[in-house]
mmCIF file of all heavy atoms in Angstrom:
data_model
loop_
_atom_site.group_PDB
_atom_site.id
_atom_site.type_symbol
_atom_site.label_atom_id
_atom_site.label_comp_id
_atom_site.label_asym_id
_atom_site.label_seq_id
_atom_site.Cartn_x
_atom_site.Cartn_y
_atom_site.Cartn_z
ATOM 1 N N VAL A 1 0.839 -1.184 0.010
ATOM 2 C CA VAL A 1 0.002 -0.011 -0.001
ATOM 3 C C VAL A 1 0.888 1.231 0.002
ATOM 4 O O VAL A 1 1.904 1.290 0.679
ATOM 5 C CB VAL A 1 -0.922 -0.004 1.235
ATOM 6 C CG1 VAL A 1 -1.720 1.311 1.350
ATOM 7 C CG2 VAL A 1 -1.885 -1.178 1.169
ATOM 8 N N LEU A 2 0.498 2.252 -0.765
ATOM 9 C CA LEU A 2 1.208 3.534 -0.798
ATOM 10 C C LEU A 2 0.614 4.433 0.277
ATOM 11 O O LEU A 2 -0.543 4.842 0.197
ATOM 12 C CB LEU A 2 1.041 4.200 -2.185
ATOM 13 C CG LEU A 2 1.546 3.353 -3.375
ATOM 14 C CD1 LEU A 2 1.185 4.040 -4.700
ATOM 15 C CD2 LEU A 2 3.060 3.128 -3.275
ATOM 16 N N ASP A 3 1.409 4.756 1.283
ATOM 17 C CA ASP A 3 0.945 5.581 2.410
ATOM 18 C C ASP A 3 1.352 7.006 2.161
ATOM 19 O O ASP A 3 2.528 7.352 2.239
ATOM 20 C CB ASP A 3 1.534 5.067 3.712
ATOM 21 C CG ASP A 3 0.937 5.758 4.942
ATOM 22 O OD1 ASP A 3 0.314 6.815 4.777
ATOM 23 O OD2 ASP A 3 1.194 5.265 6.056
ATOM 24 N N MET A 4 0.365 7.881 1.872
ATOM 25 C CA MET A 4 0.646 9.270 1.520
ATOM 26 C C MET A 4 0.641 10.189 2.724
ATOM 27 O O MET A 4 0.738 11.413 2.577
ATOM 28 C CB MET A 4 -0.371 9.774 0.471
ATOM 29 C CG MET A 4 -0.520 8.843 -0.732
ATOM 30 S SD MET A 4 1.046 8.232 -1.440
ATOM 31 C CE MET A 4 1.785 9.761 -1.957
ATOM 32 N N GLY A 5 0.533 9.629 3.954
ATOM 33 C CA GLY A 5 0.610 10.459 5.149
ATOM 34 C C GLY A 5 -0.483 11.497 5.181
ATOM 35 O O GLY A 5 -1.653 11.210 5.110
ATOM 36 N N ASN A 6 -0.085 12.768 5.281
ATOM 37 C CA ASN A 6 -1.011 13.881 5.396
ATOM 38 C C ASN A 6 -1.209 14.638 4.099
ATOM 39 O O ASN A 6 -1.905 15.643 4.045
ATOM 40 C CB ASN A 6 -0.484 14.850 6.480
ATOM 41 C CG ASN A 6 -1.475 15.940 6.855
ATOM 42 O OD1 ASN A 6 -1.256 17.106 6.566
ATOM 43 N ND2 ASN A 6 -2.564 15.561 7.474
ATOM 44 N N SER A 7 -0.583 14.163 3.019
ATOM 45 C CA SER A 7 -0.503 14.973 1.801
ATOM 46 C C SER A 7 -1.608 14.744 0.787
ATOM 47 O O SER A 7 -1.588 13.769 0.031
ATOM 48 C CB SER A 7 0.859 14.768 1.091
ATOM 49 O OG SER A 7 0.929 15.575 -0.035
ATOM 50 N N GLY A 8 -2.568 15.675 0.742
ATOM 51 C CA GLY A 8 -3.592 15.631 -0.270
ATOM 52 C C GLY A 8 -3.052 15.904 -1.648
ATOM 53 O O GLY A 8 -3.524 15.311 -2.649
ATOM 54 N N THR A 9 -2.053 16.779 -1.781
ATOM 55 C CA THR A 9 -1.454 17.049 -3.087
ATOM 56 C C THR A 9 -0.851 15.792 -3.674
ATOM 57 O O THR A 9 -1.118 15.435 -4.827
ATOM 58 C CB THR A 9 -0.344 18.112 -2.951
ATOM 59 O OG1 THR A 9 -0.916 19.337 -2.485
ATOM 60 C CG2 THR A 9 0.306 18.358 -4.284
ATOM 61 N N ALA A 10 -0.073 15.059 -2.880
ATOM 62 C CA ALA A 10 0.554 13.854 -3.371
ATOM 63 C C ALA A 10 -0.487 12.820 -3.779
ATOM 64 O O ALA A 10 -0.392 12.201 -4.840
ATOM 65 C CB ALA A 10 1.487 13.274 -2.312
ATOM 66 N N ALA A 11 -1.525 12.635 -2.957
ATOM 67 C CA ALA A 11 -2.517 11.614 -3.233
ATOM 68 C C ALA A 11 -3.296 11.948 -4.496
ATOM 69 O O ALA A 11 -3.560 11.056 -5.349
ATOM 70 C CB ALA A 11 -3.491 11.485 -2.044
ATOM 71 N N ARG A 12 -3.680 13.211 -4.673
ATOM 72 C CA ARG A 12 -4.509 13.584 -5.827
ATOM 73 C C ARG A 12 -3.700 13.573 -7.125
ATOM 74 O O ARG A 12 -4.157 13.080 -8.151
ATOM 75 C CB ARG A 12 -5.160 14.936 -5.575
ATOM 76 C CG ARG A 12 -6.251 14.843 -4.495
ATOM 77 C CD ARG A 12 -6.802 16.166 -4.087
ATOM 78 N NE ARG A 12 -7.854 15.982 -3.052
ATOM 79 C CZ ARG A 12 -7.999 16.768 -1.984
ATOM 80 N NH1 ARG A 12 -7.176 17.765 -1.782
ATOM 81 N NH2 ARG A 12 -8.957 16.519 -1.126
ATOM 82 N N LEU A 13 -2.472 14.092 -7.096
ATOM 83 C CA LEU A 13 -1.656 14.068 -8.304
ATOM 84 C C LEU A 13 -1.281 12.638 -8.677
ATOM 85 O O LEU A 13 -1.341 12.257 -9.863
ATOM 86 C CB LEU A 13 -0.396 14.902 -8.127
ATOM 87 C CG LEU A 13 -0.481 16.371 -8.563
ATOM 88 C CD1 LEU A 13 -1.551 17.134 -7.775
ATOM 89 C CD2 LEU A 13 0.878 17.044 -8.418
ATOM 90 N N LEU A 14 -0.928 11.837 -7.689
ATOM 91 C CA LEU A 14 -0.540 10.461 -7.998
ATOM 92 C C LEU A 14 -1.712 9.668 -8.550
ATOM 93 O O LEU A 14 -1.507 8.764 -9.361
ATOM 94 C CB LEU A 14 0.019 9.824 -6.732
ATOM 95 C CG LEU A 14 0.751 8.468 -6.921
ATOM 96 C CD1 LEU A 14 1.892 8.628 -7.903
ATOM 97 C CD2 LEU A 14 1.255 7.957 -5.578
ATOM 98 N N SER A 15 -2.918 10.015 -8.145
ATOM 99 C CA SER A 15 -4.109 9.352 -8.736
ATOM 100 C C SER A 15 -4.132 9.474 -10.252
ATOM 101 O O SER A 15 -4.493 8.513 -10.956
ATOM 102 C CB SER A 15 -5.382 9.933 -8.129
ATOM 103 O OG SER A 15 -5.491 9.676 -6.784
ATOM 104 N N GLY A 16 -3.753 10.642 -10.767
ATOM 105 C CA GLY A 16 -3.726 10.822 -12.196
ATOM 106 C C GLY A 16 -2.685 9.940 -12.891
ATOM 107 O O GLY A 16 -2.938 9.368 -13.967
ATOM 108 N N ILE A 17 -1.532 9.807 -12.262
ATOM 109 C CA ILE A 17 -0.461 8.949 -12.804
ATOM 110 C C ILE A 17 -0.938 7.489 -12.772
ATOM 111 O O ILE A 17 -0.817 6.756 -13.759
ATOM 112 C CB ILE A 17 0.840 9.138 -12.031
ATOM 113 C CG1 ILE A 17 1.371 10.577 -12.213
ATOM 114 C CG2 ILE A 17 1.877 8.110 -12.444
ATOM 115 C CD1 ILE A 17 2.563 10.908 -11.361
ATOM 116 N N LEU A 18 -1.450 7.029 -11.634
ATOM 117 C CA LEU A 18 -1.819 5.636 -11.464
ATOM 118 C C LEU A 18 -3.014 5.248 -12.330
ATOM 119 O O LEU A 18 -3.091 4.087 -12.787
ATOM 120 C CB LEU A 18 -2.123 5.368 -9.996
ATOM 121 C CG LEU A 18 -0.948 5.553 -9.054
ATOM 122 C CD1 LEU A 18 -1.419 5.392 -7.598
ATOM 123 C CD2 LEU A 18 0.162 4.569 -9.341
ATOM 124 N N ALA A 19 -3.903 6.176 -12.604
ATOM 125 C CA ALA A 19 -5.069 5.874 -13.433
ATOM 126 C C ALA A 19 -4.697 5.480 -14.841
ATOM 127 O O ALA A 19 -5.436 4.765 -15.526
ATOM 128 C CB ALA A 19 -6.030 7.086 -13.467
ATOM 129 N N SER A 20 -3.515 5.948 -15.306
ATOM 130 C CA SER A 20 -3.122 5.724 -16.695
ATOM 131 C C SER A 20 -1.971 4.709 -16.811
ATOM 132 O O SER A 20 -1.210 4.732 -17.773
ATOM 133 C CB SER A 20 -2.747 7.045 -17.359
ATOM 134 O OG SER A 20 -1.717 7.686 -16.622
ATOM 135 N N HIS A 21 -1.824 3.839 -15.835
ATOM 136 C CA HIS A 21 -0.847 2.747 -15.884
ATOM 137 C C HIS A 21 -1.581 1.423 -15.615
ATOM 138 O O HIS A 21 -2.462 1.374 -14.757
ATOM 139 C CB HIS A 21 0.291 2.949 -14.882
ATOM 140 C CG HIS A 21 1.275 3.994 -15.300
ATOM 141 N ND1 HIS A 21 1.024 5.345 -15.241
ATOM 142 C CD2 HIS A 21 2.513 3.853 -15.872
ATOM 143 C CE1 HIS A 21 2.074 6.010 -15.705
ATOM 144 N NE2 HIS A 21 2.990 5.134 -16.101
ATOM 145 N N GLY A 22 -1.181 0.382 -16.332
ATOM 146 C CA GLY A 22 -1.941 -0.856 -16.342
ATOM 147 C C GLY A 22 -1.659 -1.792 -15.197
ATOM 148 O O GLY A 22 -1.326 -2.938 -15.403
ATOM 149 N N PHE A 23 -1.807 -1.308 -13.983
ATOM 150 C CA PHE A 23 -1.651 -2.165 -12.823
ATOM 151 C C PHE A 23 -2.567 -1.641 -11.709
ATOM 152 O O PHE A 23 -3.151 -0.563 -11.835
ATOM 153 C CB PHE A 23 -0.207 -2.276 -12.344
ATOM 154 C CG PHE A 23 0.513 -0.959 -12.122
ATOM 155 C CD1 PHE A 23 0.184 -0.156 -11.028
ATOM 156 C CD2 PHE A 23 1.492 -0.520 -13.005
ATOM 157 C CE1 PHE A 23 0.864 1.042 -10.808
ATOM 158 C CE2 PHE A 23 2.147 0.689 -12.799
ATOM 159 C CZ PHE A 23 1.839 1.468 -11.719
ATOM 160 N N THR A 24 -2.649 -2.414 -10.642
ATOM 161 C CA THR A 24 -3.510 -2.048 -9.502
ATOM 162 C C THR A 24 -2.652 -1.556 -8.359
ATOM 163 O O THR A 24 -1.598 -2.117 -8.055
ATOM 164 C CB THR A 24 -4.337 -3.278 -9.065
ATOM 165 O OG1 THR A 24 -5.187 -3.674 -10.135
ATOM 166 C CG2 THR A 24 -5.200 -2.921 -7.846
ATOM 167 N N SER A 25 -3.111 -0.521 -7.723
ATOM 168 C CA SER A 25 -2.391 0.054 -6.574
ATOM 169 C C SER A 25 -3.444 0.504 -5.545
ATOM 170 O O SER A 25 -4.620 0.701 -5.861
ATOM 171 C CB SER A 25 -1.524 1.226 -7.008
ATOM 172 O OG SER A 25 -2.272 2.189 -7.734
ATOM 173 N N VAL A 26 -2.973 0.680 -4.298
ATOM 174 C CA VAL A 26 -3.841 1.126 -3.227
ATOM 175 C C VAL A 26 -3.148 2.261 -2.489
ATOM 176 O O VAL A 26 -1.951 2.144 -2.145
ATOM 177 C CB VAL A 26 -4.144 -0.020 -2.241
ATOM 178 C CG1 VAL A 26 -5.045 0.497 -1.101
ATOM 179 C CG2 VAL A 26 -4.823 -1.170 -2.962
ATOM 180 N N MET A 27 -3.857 3.352 -2.245
ATOM 181 C CA MET A 27 -3.337 4.481 -1.470
ATOM 182 C C MET A 27 -4.101 4.638 -0.187
ATOM 183 O O MET A 27 -5.313 4.462 -0.147
ATOM 184 C CB MET A 27 -3.479 5.788 -2.254
ATOM 185 C CG MET A 27 -2.437 6.009 -3.326
ATOM 186 S SD MET A 27 -2.421 7.736 -3.883
ATOM 187 C CE MET A 27 -4.060 7.865 -4.602
ATOM 188 N N THR A 28 -3.381 4.989 0.878
ATOM 189 C CA THR A 28 -4.026 5.375 2.120
ATOM 190 C C THR A 28 -3.284 6.606 2.659
ATOM 191 O O THR A 28 -2.429 7.198 1.996
ATOM 192 C CB THR A 28 -3.994 4.195 3.120
ATOM 193 O OG1 THR A 28 -4.821 4.556 4.258
ATOM 194 C CG2 THR A 28 -2.583 3.897 3.616
ATOM 195 N N GLY A 29 -3.638 7.000 3.894
ATOM 196 C CA GLY A 29 -2.996 8.171 4.488
ATOM 197 C C GLY A 29 -3.267 8.190 5.973
ATOM 198 O O GLY A 29 -3.852 7.255 6.536
ATOM 199 N N ASP A 30 -2.933 9.307 6.621
ATOM 200 C CA ASP A 30 -3.218 9.420 8.047
ATOM 201 C C ASP A 30 -4.680 9.731 8.250
ATOM 202 O O ASP A 30 -5.462 9.824 7.302
ATOM 203 C CB ASP A 30 -2.269 10.457 8.702
ATOM 204 C CG ASP A 30 -2.525 11.877 8.228
ATOM 205 O OD1 ASP A 30 -3.539 12.143 7.540
ATOM 206 O OD2 ASP A 30 -1.686 12.762 8.537
ATOM 207 N N ALA A 31 -5.072 9.914 9.500
ATOM 208 C CA ALA A 31 -6.470 10.116 9.816
ATOM 209 C C ALA A 31 -7.044 11.351 9.108
ATOM 210 O O ALA A 31 -8.191 11.324 8.657
ATOM 211 C CB ALA A 31 -6.661 10.230 11.311
ATOM 212 N N SER A 32 -6.258 12.394 9.005
ATOM 213 C CA SER A 32 -6.727 13.599 8.331
ATOM 214 C C SER A 32 -6.933 13.363 6.838
ATOM 215 O O SER A 32 -7.999 13.715 6.292
ATOM 216 C CB SER A 32 -5.681 14.729 8.522
ATOM 217 O OG SER A 32 -5.997 15.849 7.720
ATOM 218 N N LEU A 33 -5.990 12.768 6.175
ATOM 219 C CA LEU A 33 -6.122 12.517 4.759
ATOM 220 C C LEU A 33 -7.234 11.541 4.431
ATOM 221 O O LEU A 33 -7.962 11.685 3.446
ATOM 222 C CB LEU A 33 -4.781 12.006 4.168
ATOM 223 C CG LEU A 33 -4.753 11.824 2.640
ATOM 224 C CD1 LEU A 33 -5.071 13.105 1.934
ATOM 225 C CD2 LEU A 33 -3.365 11.313 2.209
ATOM 226 N N ARG A 34 -7.424 10.531 5.294
ATOM 227 C CA ARG A 34 -8.497 9.566 5.073
ATOM 228 C C ARG A 34 -9.878 10.202 5.223
ATOM 229 O O ARG A 34 -10.883 9.640 4.784
ATOM 230 C CB ARG A 34 -8.380 8.371 6.035
ATOM 231 C CG ARG A 34 -7.134 7.533 5.773
ATOM 232 C CD ARG A 34 -7.248 6.164 6.469
ATOM 233 N NE ARG A 34 -7.525 6.284 7.911
ATOM 234 C CZ ARG A 34 -6.611 6.415 8.851
ATOM 235 N NH1 ARG A 34 -5.312 6.444 8.523
ATOM 236 N NH2 ARG A 34 -6.942 6.507 10.129
ATOM 237 N N GLY A 35 -9.945 11.386 5.821
ATOM 238 C CA GLY A 35 -11.225 12.083 5.948
ATOM 239 C C GLY A 35 -11.492 13.074 4.851
ATOM 240 O O GLY A 35 -12.548 13.684 4.814
ATOM 241 N N ARG A 36 -10.563 13.246 3.910
ATOM 242 C CA ARG A 36 -10.727 14.255 2.853
ATOM 243 C C ARG A 36 -11.293 13.618 1.592
ATOM 244 O O ARG A 36 -10.983 12.486 1.260
ATOM 245 C CB ARG A 36 -9.369 14.920 2.560
ATOM 246 C CG ARG A 36 -9.004 15.954 3.592
ATOM 247 C CD ARG A 36 -7.665 16.574 3.272
ATOM 248 N NE ARG A 36 -6.634 16.091 4.182
ATOM 249 C CZ ARG A 36 -5.329 16.225 3.967
ATOM 250 N NH1 ARG A 36 -4.893 16.844 2.882
ATOM 251 N NH2 ARG A 36 -4.449 15.767 4.833
ATOM 252 N N PRO A 37 -12.113 14.361 0.845
ATOM 253 C CA PRO A 37 -12.765 13.797 -0.336
ATOM 254 C C PRO A 37 -11.780 13.618 -1.501
ATOM 255 O O PRO A 37 -10.924 14.442 -1.752
ATOM 256 C CB PRO A 37 -13.833 14.838 -0.679
ATOM 257 C CG PRO A 37 -13.285 16.113 -0.153
ATOM 258 C CD PRO A 37 -12.533 15.769 1.097
#
């Protein structure tokens, strides 16, 4: 699992990269990031 900690920027930008690569990945984060849309 890719743990993005508190960083919404990292999680959202990386989503764009991961969406266009042919494999499966999972992202999580700290309690604050897990509460953000």
